[in-house]
Amino acid sequence: MISNNIKAKLAGGSAIRKMFEEGNRLKAIYGEDNVFDFSIGNPDLEPPHEVADALVELASNPVPGMHGYMSNSGYESTRAIIAKKRSEESGVEVTADAVCMTVGAAAAMNDVLHSLLDPEDEVIVIAPYFMEYNNYVENHGGKIVKVATEENFMPDLKKIDEAITAKTKAIIINSPNNPSGAIYPAETLIALNDLLKAKDHVIHVISDEPYIDLVYDGQTVPAALKYIDNLIICFSWSKSLSLPGERIGYTLVSPRNEDYADLTAAIVLSNRTLGSVNAPAIWQKVIEKSLYAKVDVANYEYRRNLLYSNITDAGFDAVKPGGALYIFMNTPKDMSDSDFAAACAKYNLLLVPGKSFSGEGYCRLAFCVSEKTIRGSREAFFKIADDLNIKHRAEL
């Protein structure tokens, strides 16, 4: 028999994955052009040419021993160039020792939480939030404490303060945010740091940063490393280089972190003992050669605008996201997000109910899908609005 804990998780499942599988089923029936699947943040853009060029170069001219074991923290040369880039961005001097290469941001987060948590320790999350944080915290004996945001999806510092107890070990921030796309300004990060530093014990800020390179309208993401002292970064190239299936990322402990020496050592140990051993060797070398590359962010901004127009022209409400790959649209009044998702599914339009992100009253749509899919969905949005007696704001 499997464990009761896992049995319960299997019964609950992932709403995102369920919608993704439903999308595949519907495409097999109706054809790909007639299904509008916005359920999963699976970037459809190919990686930048720098990534492909580096991969070809390394495969054709391998460095001796390139596929062997290295330090559990990863190649020093890879960690050094990452530290250099982060130093440039933040103005905080970072060394290679601060960095541990990981199997994506999920492994990074688990390494960090495994290093921090004792049983029943509490981790504050800012709702709405990426639902896998629940599993990551529970994996290591911790307890999730949810704190709602302000109306504009900004952290509510008063509520965060009220949620802190003697058992609070960390708070997870995610800017740009999944699912809302909100970007936390420097003033918010400074105020959060001041709040946490005034407490009688160390509270770590875990900054989940897979979307920091995906921002729109000329905005930039303030560097958490510059403004927060007891910081631990978890990063992935899944989105910024369109490499979600390759699973390559890292942790970075701020040199100002009060537990710096213990944390950097603990994360490397956790990286090994949780089963990763080390991040994929060839992808560490690819990253070295393509660290400053980016996917076509302008393309994503264009698609964001297209999808946002479809939603709002049909008569629905949504906040245009400043970053990430998602639009968090309001569900119609007096209608649950699950019921709205079901109403959309009648027209083969698939989105994820907001309750999956502890964001009831919303649904999430990923715009990292083809332009053809976004354009094709416009009529479906208008038909759904007609069914719900919602007045259009523009012509079809």
Side-chain angles (χ1 to χ4, degrees):
M1 290 286 289
I2 65 172
S3 76
N4 290 330
N5 181 42
I6 293 298
K7 187 179 291 186
K9 290 183 184 297
L10 286 173
S14 164
I16 295 176
R17 285 290 169 177
K18 285 178 181 177
M19 296 301 287
F20 180 65
E21 296 302 330
E22 176 65 3
N24 290 336
R25 186 186 74 82
L26 292 174
K27 288 171 188 174
I29 297 172
Y30 299 107
E32 192 158 340
D33 291 348
N34 299 308
V35 177
F36 315 109
D37 186 357
F38 300 104
S39 62
I40 192 168
N42 189 22
D44 73 319
L45 295 181
E46 290 301 310
H49 71 85
E50 291 94 336
V51 172
D53 292 347
L55 195 56
V56 169
E57 179 187 342
L58 288 163
S60 302
N61 303 286
V63 177
M66 187 176 69
H67 301 289
Y69 286 128
M70 79 293 295
S71 165
N72 294 129
S73 58
Y75 286 118
E76 183 171 0
S77 55
T78 308
R79 293 184 288 116
I81 192 171
I82 291 168
K84 177 177 179 291
K85 183 173 186 288
R86 286 293 189 161
S87 298
E88 294 168 349
E89 293 168 347
S90 66
V92 176
E93 189 63 33
V94 180
T95 63
D97 290 342
V99 179
C100 177
M101 304 303 298
T102 63
V103 184
M109 188 76 70
N110 277 277
D111 288 347
V112 169
L113 292 168
H114 190 66
S115 300
L116 287 177
L117 298 181
D118 287 313
E120 301 302 307
D121 277 348
E122 296 171 353
V123 178
I124 292 173
V125 292
I126 302 171
Y129 64 95
F130 182 48
M131 77 290 292
E132 292 291 359
Y133 295 163
N134 295 333
N135 291 324
Y136 301 161
V137 170
E138 290 171 9
N139 283 348
H140 309 289
K143 295 176 64 176
I144 284 279
V145 177
K146 301 178 187 180
V147 175
T149 58
E150 297 174 347
E151 288 186 5
N152 58 358
F153 300 118
M154 288 295 119
D156 188 321
L157 296 177
K158 184 174 183 295
K159 289 181 180 177
I160 291 172
D161 191 18
E162 292 170 350
I164 292 173
T165 72
K167 297 291 286 182
T168 303
K169 185 63 73 71
I171 177 171
I172 300 174
I173 62 173
N174 174 217
S175 171
N177 177 259
N178 174 12
S180 72
I183 298 172
Y184 300 165
E187 297 77 27
T188 297
L189 300 178
I190 292 168
L192 176 62
N193 187 57
D194 290 343
L195 167 64
L196 299 180
K197 291 284 284 184
K199 299 301 175 182
D200 61 3
H201 66 286
V202 173
I203 299 173
H204 296 280
V205 177
I206 304 170
S207 184
D208 185 23
E209 301 187 355
Y211 301 103
I212 58 171
D213 293 319
L214 301 179
V215 292
Y216 314 114
D217 307 315
Q219 298 184 78
T220 56
V221 179
L225 189 59
K226 179 177 181 179
Y227 299 109
I228 295 177
D229 293 335
N230 290 317
L231 184 77
I232 312 164
I233 291 171
C234 295
F235 182 83
S236 166
W237 284 279
S238 292
K239 317 301 182 183
S240 62
L241 293 182
S242 281
L243 296 172
E246 303 302 346
R247 312 313 303 145
I248 181 70
Y250 63 84
T251 64
L252 187 154
V253 181
S254 169
R256 299 202 302 265
N257 193 301
E258 293 181 51
D259 292 332
Y260 179 85
D262 286 344
L263 261 176
T264 50
I267 289 170
V268 174
L269 176 63
S270 296
N271 199 37
R272 172 169 61 83
T273 58
L274 290 178
S276 295
V277 181
N278 54 251
I282 195 167
W283 282 104
Q284 293 188 53
K285 292 297 183 182
V286 169
I287 291 302
E288 274 189 50
K289 294 176 177 292
S290 55
L291 184 64
Y292 289 84
K294 284 186 184 180
V295 292
D296 186 356
V297 177
N299 187 307
Y300 281 143
E301 183 171 342
Y302 178 72
R303 297 188 203 186
R304 177 204 63 168
N305 294 342
L306 275 181
L307 182 56
Y308 180 78
S309 293
N310 286 355
I311 292 167
T312 56
D313 287 353
F316 299 105
D317 295 319
V319 176
K320 186 179 284 189
L325 296 171
Y326 315 101
I327 292 178
F328 212 39
M329 70 175 290
N330 302 70
T331 54
K333 278 186 178 181
D334 304 319
M335 191 175 195
S336 73
D337 44 6
S338 295
D339 286 344
F340 180 63
C344 292
K346 292 178 183 178
Y347 292 93
N348 293 338
L349 196 154
L350 305 180
L351 36 69
V352 183
K355 67 178 182 181
S356 297
F357 307 92
S358 291
E360 289 77 3
Y362 295 87
C363 284
R364 193 196 77 169
L365 299 91
F367 53 82
C368 50
V369 300
S370 71
E371 181 181 334
K372 186 177 182 181
T373 295
I374 296 173
R375 290 191 180 280
S377 71
R378 186 172 175 85
E379 184 176 357
F381 278 107
F382 277 71
K383 287 180 176 179
I384 295 161
D386 289 339
D387 284 355
L388 301 176
N389 296 315
I390 291 172
K391 186 178 179 180
H392 304 161
R393 294 194 181 99
E395 296 298 320
L396 177 58

